[in-house]
């Protein structure tokens, strides 16, 4: 009997041990279940609300210009498409197309190397505003950026939950922290740049990409998003090439992947984008091929400047990743094996862009989310130094983000607000009608998208040499001898513009022309603390009296 009791007690002991073990497992399962059920919903709501609020604040605290493509390859095209839609509505009842169609397309759109799909999205928004009678210039400027911010917020949420599925809660939180406090993301993600949309779509596609340990893999969804990114900007294929090769190598049924996913999705994307482009170009146009021919084979992009091959390694990447760089390097040593495909994509992208003479910071922006994964792993593993490192990271990024977003290069946007007031003068019947000439490096400012009226405006043009003998662009001719250019371009007072817009460094050179033709400075607008070359620290507006 005692033996039986002892065995029963022993059994109870063993069972108790088993129960404790199960209890531990139960807690683990419960934590996972909370993530997948009610806890997940609550976390999603918190992350979503924070991301949307953060990106909207981000949007309104970025009031500076970055590069001309932010407007000239998106909003200016969208605004011209919008006026065309408006014109078609008017012509049906009034037959007066020219009275309402206005805008400007740069040489890229005449050469067929840009796609209309991305600007069409904003043109559609403009058309909706017109229908509801809310197409004010303020909404035309800010609504596209707000929508861009909401897309960025959606990508932020997906990015967080991707890392939460792959790593612990601690790593996910610190990775999200690194991602959200990146100064370059703050500076770029709410802008209407194709690079910004490319990065947003890339971040979304990564959520569905078959990373090791990923539970959110969907080939059709991620390939559709990659195809969309390539439509928006063909260079997105550079970032995704090693990832696509990795997926192909890891896939068991390679033939099915090609025939059921790669080919159908890629072909459909090309067909849709080509149809849209052919409609708006009004001729057969293959934008992806033209883009490759002009920028790679003909090296037309070199016209806008070139850098040494090592520029991204010695300057570009360090600026884009900013204060995160030490964390990124540390994270690479910790998670090299686990995320080697992401690191390979980063290195591949930088190497490929290094082979091209024309280089810009924004070109490598799409790999920044990949880098943040390594930064988050590094920060989570710092233990005792974690909070101190996070504080330094936050403060240093905050300073860079606020300075570049609110102060550096804001004059070219502020000047358009001043000029927009001339629209009221232009709508009056009393002469003279406003006639604005921008004596600045070409595409320094936005254009009609930021005044929203058919006021006469002109700037110094600078198309690249497309095979013309002795080609010299208008901007170069002007800056070679500004006074001579002005005198020959305006031999009679009747042909003079009513307003001149110029950087302060040009004022001394053309002061004789300004005084002789009774131009008076009416506004001085701050632009930057770091004037360089033809770009001055302030912008002057002169009016003829």
């Amino acid at each position: 009997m005692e033996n039986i009791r002892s065995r029963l007690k022993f059994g109870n002991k063993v069972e108790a041990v088993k129960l404790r073990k199960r209890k531990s497992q139960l807690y683990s399962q419960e934590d996972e279940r909370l993530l997948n059920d009610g806890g997940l919903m609550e976390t999603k709501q918190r992350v979503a609300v924070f991301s949307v609020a953060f990106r909207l604040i981000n949007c309104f605290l970025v009031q500076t210009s970055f590069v001309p493509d932010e407007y000239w390859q998106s909003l200016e095209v969208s605004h011209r498409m919008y006026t065309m839609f408006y014109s078609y509505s008017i012509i049906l009842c009034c037959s007066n197309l020219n009275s309402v169609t206005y805008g400007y397309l740069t040489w890229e759109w005449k050469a067929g190397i840009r796609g209309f799909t991305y600007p069409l999205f904003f043109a559609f928004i403009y058309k909706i505003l017109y229908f509801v009678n809310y197409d004010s210039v303020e909404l035309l400027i800010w609504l596209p950026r707000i929508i861009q911010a909401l897309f960025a917020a959606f990508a932020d949420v997906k990015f967080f939950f991707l890392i939460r599925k792959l790593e612990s809660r601690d790593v996910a939180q610190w990775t999200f922290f690194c991602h959200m406090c990146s100064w370059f993301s703050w500076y770029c993600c709410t802008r209407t740049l194709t690079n910004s949309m490319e990065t947003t779509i890339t971040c979304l596609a990564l959520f569905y990409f078959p990373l090791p340990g990923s539970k959110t893999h969907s080939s059709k969804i991620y390939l559709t998003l990659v195809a969309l990114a390539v439509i928006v900007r063909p260079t997105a294929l550079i970032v995704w090439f090693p990832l696509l090769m990795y997926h192909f190598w890891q896939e068991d049924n390679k033939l099915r992947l090609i025939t059921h996913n790669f080919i159908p999705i890629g072909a459909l994307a090309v067909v849709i984008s080509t149809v849209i482009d052919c409609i708006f170009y009004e001729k057969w146009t293959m934008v992806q091929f033209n883009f490759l021919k002009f920028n790679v084979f003909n090296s037309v992009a070199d016209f806008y400047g070139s850098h040494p091959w090592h520029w991204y390694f010695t300057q570009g990447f360090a600026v884009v990743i900013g204060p995160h760089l030490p964390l990124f390097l540390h994270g690479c040593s910790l998670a090299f094996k686990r995320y080697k495909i992401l690191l390979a994509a980063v290195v591949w992208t930088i190497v490929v862009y290094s082979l091209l003479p024309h280089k810009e910071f924004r070109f490598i922006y799409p790999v920044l989310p990949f880098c943040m994964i390594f930064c988050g792993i590094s920060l989570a593993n710092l233990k005792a130094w974690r909070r101190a490192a996070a504080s330094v990271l936050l403060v240093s990024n905050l300073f860079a983000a606020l300075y570049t977003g609110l102060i550096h290069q804001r004059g070219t946007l502020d000047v358009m607000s001043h000029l927009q007031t001339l629209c009221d003068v232009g709508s009056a019947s009393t002469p003279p009608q406003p006639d604005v000439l921008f004596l600045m490096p070409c595409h320094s400012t936005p254009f009609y998208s930021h005044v929203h009226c058919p006021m006469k405006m002109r700037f110094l043009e600078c198309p690249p040499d497309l095979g013309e003998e002795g080609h010299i662009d208008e901007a170069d001719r002007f800056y070679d001898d500004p006074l001579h250019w002005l005198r020959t371009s305006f031999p009679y007072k009747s042909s003079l513009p009513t307003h001149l817009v110029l950087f302060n460094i040009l004022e001394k050179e053309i002061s004789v022309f300004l005084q002789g033709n009774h131009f008076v400075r009416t506004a001085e607008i701050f632009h930057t603390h770091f004037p360089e070359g033809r770009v001055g620290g302030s912008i002057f507006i002169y009016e003829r009296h």
Side-chain angles (χ1 to χ4, degrees):
M1 194 68 175
E2 290 297 325
N3 290 336
I4 295 174
R5 285 177 182 172
S6 64
R7 287 176 185 173
L8 285 174
K9 287 179 181 179
F10 180 75
N12 289 341
K13 268 187 181 179
V14 172
E15 190 66 29
V17 171
K18 287 182 179 178
L19 283 173
R20 282 196 295 271
K21 186 177 180 182
R22 286 176 184 170
K23 188 176 181 181
S24 176
Q25 290 174 348
L26 185 62
Y27 285 147
S28 176
Q29 292 169 359
E30 184 179 351
D31 183 61
E32 189 66 29
R33 191 170 61 252
L34 282 173
L35 181 66
N36 293 329
D37 299 326
L40 174 65
M41 186 58 66
E42 184 181 349
T43 305
K44 272 186 176 178
Q45 289 173 351
R46 273 194 240 152
V47 173
V49 169
F50 172 79
S51 297
V52 169
F54 185 84
R55 289 307 178 198
L56 287 177
I57 294 171
N58 183 172
C59 175
F60 289 109
L61 289 184
V62 174
Q63 302 172 14
T64 55
S65 61
F66 182 19
V67 290
D69 281 9
E70 183 178 354
Y71 315 105
W72 291 94
Q73 308 304 341
S74 57
L75 297 187
E76 292 303 325
V77 184
S78 303
H79 189 269
R80 191 172 189 278
M81 294 167 75
Y82 157 76
T83 61
M84 288 175 63
F85 296 153
Y86 177 65
S87 299
Y88 293 145
S89 303
I90 296 296
I91 198 172
L92 291 175
C93 63
C94 305
S95 299
N96 190 14
L97 181 64
N98 292 328
S99 64
V100 288
T101 301
Y102 61 98
Y104 184 93
L105 295 180
T106 58
W107 71 269
E108 292 99 329
W109 299 91
K110 298 166 187 175
I113 68 171
R114 302 288 185 181
F116 278 95
T117 306
Y118 182 57
L120 180 61
F121 174 68
F122 295 126
F124 181 70
I125 294 170
Y126 288 169
K127 189 63 177 175
I128 293 175
L129 290 175
Y130 165 71
F131 276 129
V132 297
N133 201 27
Y134 275 98
D135 56 336
S136 65
V137 65
E138 290 81 10
L139 276 178
L140 294 183
I141 293 171
W142 283 103
L143 191 56
R145 292 200 52 204
I146 291 171
I147 292 172
Q148 190 79 39
L150 294 177
F151 279 137
F154 181 56
D156 294 338
V157 174
K158 286 291 187 182
F159 183 74
F160 171 80
F161 283 101
L162 169 66
I163 308 306
R164 184 63 187 92
K165 293 288 186 181
L166 296 173
E167 299 287 345
S168 67
R169 186 190 300 272
D170 193 45
V171 172
Q173 288 174 344
W174 286 111
T175 302
F176 188 64
F177 170 80
C178 290
H179 175 69
M180 298 301 278
C181 77
S182 166
W183 82 271
F184 199 78
S185 288
W186 173 281
Y187 187 56
C188 288
C189 74
T190 64
R191 297 183 184 273
T192 52
L193 273 168
T194 52
N195 308 89
S196 300
M197 183 56 80
E198 176 194 354
T199 304
T200 296
I201 297 173
T202 294
C203 206
L204 291 172
L206 191 64
F207 182 82
Y208 300 100
F209 182 77
L211 286 170
S214 173
K215 300 176 183 178
T216 57
H217 167 225
S218 173
S219 295
K220 283 186 170 57
I221 295 178
Y222 103 78
L223 287 172
T224 301
L225 289 168
V226 170
L228 181 59
V230 173
I231 289 174
V232 170
R233 189 170 180 84
T235 52
L237 197 57
I238 295 175
V239 177
W240 279 98
F241 180 77
L243 297 170
L244 293 172
M245 292 300 99
Y246 171 82
H247 183 196
F248 177 76
W249 182 261
Q250 295 293 325
E251 186 68 27
D252 294 329
N253 195 339
K254 293 177 172 56
L255 182 61
R256 180 179 176 83
L257 178 65
I258 293 173
T259 57
H260 286 65
N261 293 306
F262 282 3
I263 293 177
I265 293 173
L268 184 62
V270 171
V271 168
I272 292 175
S273 65
T274 301
V275 168
I276 292 173
D277 292 331
C278 289
I279 290 172
F280 287 96
Y281 278 114
E282 298 181 345
K283 62 180 181 180
W284 170 257
T285 305
M286 188 71 174
V287 167
Q288 290 76 16
F289 173 74
N290 292 340
F291 185 90
L292 188 68
K293 182 180 73 172
F294 274 84
N295 288 301
V296 179
F297 299 145
N298 296 344
S299 300
V300 173
D302 302 359
F303 175 79
Y304 294 104
S306 60
H307 298 80
W309 68 268
H310 55 76
W311 185 80
Y312 282 118
F313 292 98
T314 56
Q315 299 177 53
F317 181 72
V319 170
V320 170
I321 199 169
H324 290 75
L325 182 58
L327 294 176
F328 171 71
L329 297 175
H330 179 230
C332 288
S333 66
L334 295 174
F336 170 76
K337 290 185 179 180
R338 182 163 172 76
Y339 296 111
K340 58 186 174 183
I341 182 56
L342 295 182
L343 186 59
V346 173
V347 175
W348 162 266
T349 302
I350 294 174
V351 167
V352 172
Y353 276 119
S354 295
L355 299 176
L356 303 176
H358 181 59
K359 300 174 177 66
E360 294 186 39
F361 296 114
R362 61 191 174 104
F363 291 170
I364 60 171
Y365 175 38
V367 300
L368 193 57
F370 300 175
C371 300
M372 292 300 111
I373 296 176
F374 296 97
C375 295
I377 292 172
S378 169
L379 201 55
N381 280 272
L382 286 181
K383 304 300 182 184
W385 294 95
R386 184 163 55 188
R387 295 193 178 277
S391 299
V392 172
L393 193 68
L394 179 62
V395 172
S396 56
N397 276 281
L398 184 64
F399 173 79
L402 292 179
Y403 180 78
T404 56
L406 292 173
I407 300 172
H408 181 59
Q409 294 185 172
R410 68 169 298 136
T412 51
L413 293 182
D414 291 341
V415 74
M416 299 310 293
S417 299
H418 282 71
L419 296 178
Q420 203 278 328
T421 59
L422 298 177
C423 288
D424 297 331
V425 177
S427 61
S429 58
T430 56
Q433 297 295 306
D435 181 355
V436 182
L437 173 62
F438 294 86
L439 296 176
M440 312 167 80
C442 64
H443 308 135
S444 291
T445 68
F447 215 47
Y448 284 108
S449 66
H450 280 57
V451 295
H452 191 43
C453 72
M455 176 172 59
K456 186 177 180 182
M457 296 194 297
R458 186 192 161 198
F459 62 91
L460 302 172
E461 300 200 28
C462 58
D465 184 2
L466 300 177
E468 301 173 7
E469 188 175 349
H471 170 84
I472 301 177
D473 67 59
E474 187 179 30
D476 282 342
R477 289 201 305 270
F478 170 76
Y479 280 103
D480 284 343
D481 191 344
L483 205 55
H484 175 73
W485 186 92
L486 286 168
R487 286 170 174 167
T488 54
S489 298
F490 305 103
Y492 308 107
K493 288 190 179 293
S494 59
S495 63
L496 286 169
T498 60
H499 295 77
L500 296 176
V501 182
L502 55 134
F503 283 112
N504 60 312
I505 57 174
L506 184 64
E507 183 184 45
K508 187 176 180 181
E509 286 190 69
I510 63 170
S511 58
V512 175
F513 177 84
L514 295 173
Q515 295 169 7
N517 291 284
H518 307 292
F519 279 97
V520 177
R521 189 201 301 173
T522 56
E524 179 178 353
I525 301 164
F526 169 79
H527 180 60
T528 178
H529 291 116
F530 304 99
E532 183 180 7
R534 298 172 179 177
V535 177
S538 300
I539 298 174
F540 294 157
I541 298 178
Y542 274 84
E543 184 175 353
R544 184 163 55 90
H545 290 274

